[in-house]
Amino acid sequence: MSTATTGRTTVRGAVGTAHTRVEGRDKVTGAARYAGEIPFADLAHGWLVLSTVARGRIRSIGTDPVLGMPGVLAVLHHGNAPRVDTDYVGMLGIPPDPTAAVFQNDRVPHAGWPVALVVAATSEQAREAAEALVVTYDAEPHDVTLTADRPDAYPADGHMPARTGKGDLAAGLAASAVVVDEEYTTPEEHHSMMEPHAATALWDAGRLEVVDSNQGATWIQSELAKMFSLDESSVRVRSEHVGGGFGSKGLRAHQVSAVMAATVLQRPVRVVMTRRQMFSLAGYRSPTAQRVRLGADPDGRLRALEHRSLNQTSTVHEFVEPGTGVARIMYDAEAHHTANHVVRLDVPSPTFMRAPGEAPGSFAIEAALDELAERCGVDPIELRLRNEPEAGPVSGLPFSSRNLAACFNEGARRFGWAERDPRPGVRRDGRWLLGTGTAAASFQAGAAPSTAAVTAEADGTFTVRISAADIGTGARTALTLIAADALEVTPERVRVRIGDSDFGPAMIAGGSMGTRSWAWAITIAAGELRERLALGASIPPEGITVRSDTTEALGALAQKERHSFGAQFAEVAVDTTTGEVRVRRMLGIFAAGRIVNPLTARNQLVGGMVWGISMALHEEAVRDRASGGLYGPDLAGYHVATHADVPDIEADWVDDPDPDDPVGIKGVGEIGIVGAAAAVANAVWHATGVRHRSLPIRPDRVLSATVPAVGGGTDA
C-alpha cells in the first residue's frame, strides 16, 4: 500500500494518488478498438437517409433504382420496416424519443428526420445509394423559432417539478431597496464528441448482440429489449471504449435501425452516423430564454428571487432543460419562485448535455447576482457569501456538506481577487481592456442502484466486473484504485472489466453519478470477498466471486441535499476595435467530494471549464427559419474553443469528502462547466462596463455595444 501527501491530507492507499489511465497504452497505440472499428464476418453497412423538409408527410420513396445499384442489399423505410413498441417508460424514467423508433409512419416532424436506411456490402456503396435515393414529400408549414413570449409555452416537470414557490414575490420585490429584472438567453449547443455514434447489430444463436458506443450498456439493453419485445436476457450490449458522450449517447436511430436491418438480413449490420447527421439525430442542448428577478436589501441580502426558464422541445418528445434547478440550491429568499417551461416546435428533440439545466441556468442566475452586486456596491464574492442558505432553499433539507465558502476563499487568494479594482473599464493593456469576473457553481451528487461482481482469482489477482461506461473520464482507472483499496491490495493486482450488459444492471455514465454509484457496488462486493478470504477460504481454479447490489443501501440513506460546489474565476481581455474577447487565465476551485484520481479528476474539471469558455464565446447552432435546418451543421460551421483559446487554465479542490458515501465521492464530471460561462461574461462586463446577457459574446455583439466612459456601465 502506498502513502502520499497531497498538501491537504495524507493519502493512504491508491485512492487519492495520481495514476495514468490503465488503458492509456492501448488507446495511444490503437489497440483499443471503438464501436465502429471492430471487425465482423459478413458485415453489411447501413446509411441513414434524413428528411429534407421540416414538417410534412412522405409521399414516395424511389427504392427500385437504388436496389439495383452495386452491393445494395435492402432499403428499409416506413413501408417495410419491422414494427417496434414505444409505449413504455425507460430505465431513466422517461419514455423513448420516437426519433429512435425509426420508420414507423410517414410523418416528418423535423428536418433531418430518418426516413430510410440503405444497406449495402460496403459503407461506400451504402452512402452512394443513400445519396441517390429519391424521397418526395408533401411539405407543411413549420415553426422553429423560440422566443421568450411564446403563448404556447407550458410548464413541464422533466426530472424535477416544473414549479416551486414560497412567499409573496410581488411583496418581496416591492419591499426591496435594489431590484434586478433581466432576461438572459443561451443558444442551441451540440455535444460534438470525438467519436461519432456507431453500432453493430447481429443475431447469434437466437440472441441479439449489439456492439455500441454508449453511456450505459444495461441502459441500451433494456431499451432495445422493450422496443423489440424481447426478454432482457436475450439482448447483450457491449461498449468497451467510448470516445466521448456528454449525455448524447443513449438510445438513438443508429442502434434501432441496425437491429432492424440485422433482423431482416440475418447478418451483422453496422450503422455509423456522419458528423452532419449527429446535428439532427444525436440530441443537443436546447436554447433557453430566462428571466431572473432579484430583490435585495442595500447590503445585497435577498428578499425575493424568481427564476423562469423556457426551452424548446420537439413535437414528438418532451424534453425539459431544467434551467432553474441551480437557483433552487444556490440561494434562498423569503419569496423564492422558480419555473421551467417548454414549447413544442418543429425541431429535433433536445437531450441531456453536460450539466443539463445547470450550465445555462448558472449563466443567468450568476450573471444576475453579479448585476445585483454592482448595484448594491458589494463585492461579488461577499454578496454570494451573504446569501449562503443554511438548508435547501426549496426542499428545506440539510446539506450533506456545503463548502462553497471554502472554494471562494481559496480561489480569491490564488487568483489575487483582493487587488481587483471593482470599477469597470479602468484596466488596460495596450489596445486590450482587462477585466475579472467570478461565479459560483453547484451540481448534484447522486447515486443509483448498481450491481458488481468481484472475483478472487487462483493466481492471486482480482477481477471486477461491472456494467460501467468509461466515456473518456478515466472511470476504468478510478474503479481500479477503489477496488484495490477495498481489497487492500495494490492496483496492479486488480483488473476491471466494464461495458458489458452481461455483467448485470448498473448506473449509466451520466449526471456525475457513474463513479460514485459503481464505486459503492464494488466496495460492498470487495469488502465481503475480503472477509471470506480472511476466514481462510481456499481459492478454486474458477476463483471465488462475490456479487453486490446497492439498492438496499441507497434506499436507507437519509434525505439530504447532496451537491458538489465550486468557485469560478476568469480574466479576459477585450479589443473594442475588433470585438475580440480573449480569456487570459481561469481558475476553478471545487468542493467535489473525495478525489479518487487527481490526474483524471483535474482533466475533467479543466475540460468542463474549457467548455464554459466555449459556451461563453463560441458555441452557437443557428437554425434557418426557412428550411428548419441548421446553418453549417459540422465542425467547420459550429465553433468550439481550441487550445489557442485557453492559454492559462487551472482547476483544484478543497477537502470535501461526502460523509454518507463509503469512499467519500461526490462527482466531478459536470461541475467544471457550471458557472464558467457566467464568470467569463462577468469578466467582460468588468473589462468594458457592458453587460452581455445573450451568449455567445461574439465580436459583432461586442462591437454593436456602446463602450462607456471609464468607470461607467451599460447594457448590450
Side-chain angles (χ1 to χ4, degrees), residues 294-297 300-305 331-334 369 372 387:
L294 303 175
D297 292 333
R301 298 182 192 275
L302 290 169
R303 284 179 172 266
L305 181 153
Y331 307 108
D332 201 0
E334 291 183 7
L369 261 289
L372 179 64
N387 287 289

Side-chain angles (χ1 to χ4, degrees), residues 225-307:
K226 290 181 173 68
M227 188 169 281
F228 286 92
S229 301
L230 301 169
D231 292 331
E232 289 191 6
S233 61
S234 299
V235 181
R236 183 188 186 189
V237 176
R238 289 181 288 147
S239 184
E240 185 176 359
H241 296 289
V242 182
F246 309 121
S248 170
K249 286 187 173 172
L251 186 70
R252 301 285 173 205
H254 66 295
Q255 298 125 321
V256 177
S257 61
V259 173
M260 286 180 172
T263 302
V264 170
L265 296 174
Q266 288 298 299
R267 62 188 285 184
V269 176
R270 174 173 294 157
V271 179
V272 180
M273 288 190 198
T274 68
R275 181 66 63 179
R276 293 179 71 89
Q277 288 174 347
M278 287 166 60
F279 278 82
S280 297
L281 296 180
Y284 58 95
R285 195 195 306 281
S286 168
T288 68
Q290 303 178 59
R291 184 184 184 187
V292 178
R293 292 199 287 175
L294 303 175
D297 292 333
D299 63 359
R301 298 182 192 275
L302 290 169
R303 284 179 172 266
L305 181 153
E306 182 189 35
H307 188 181

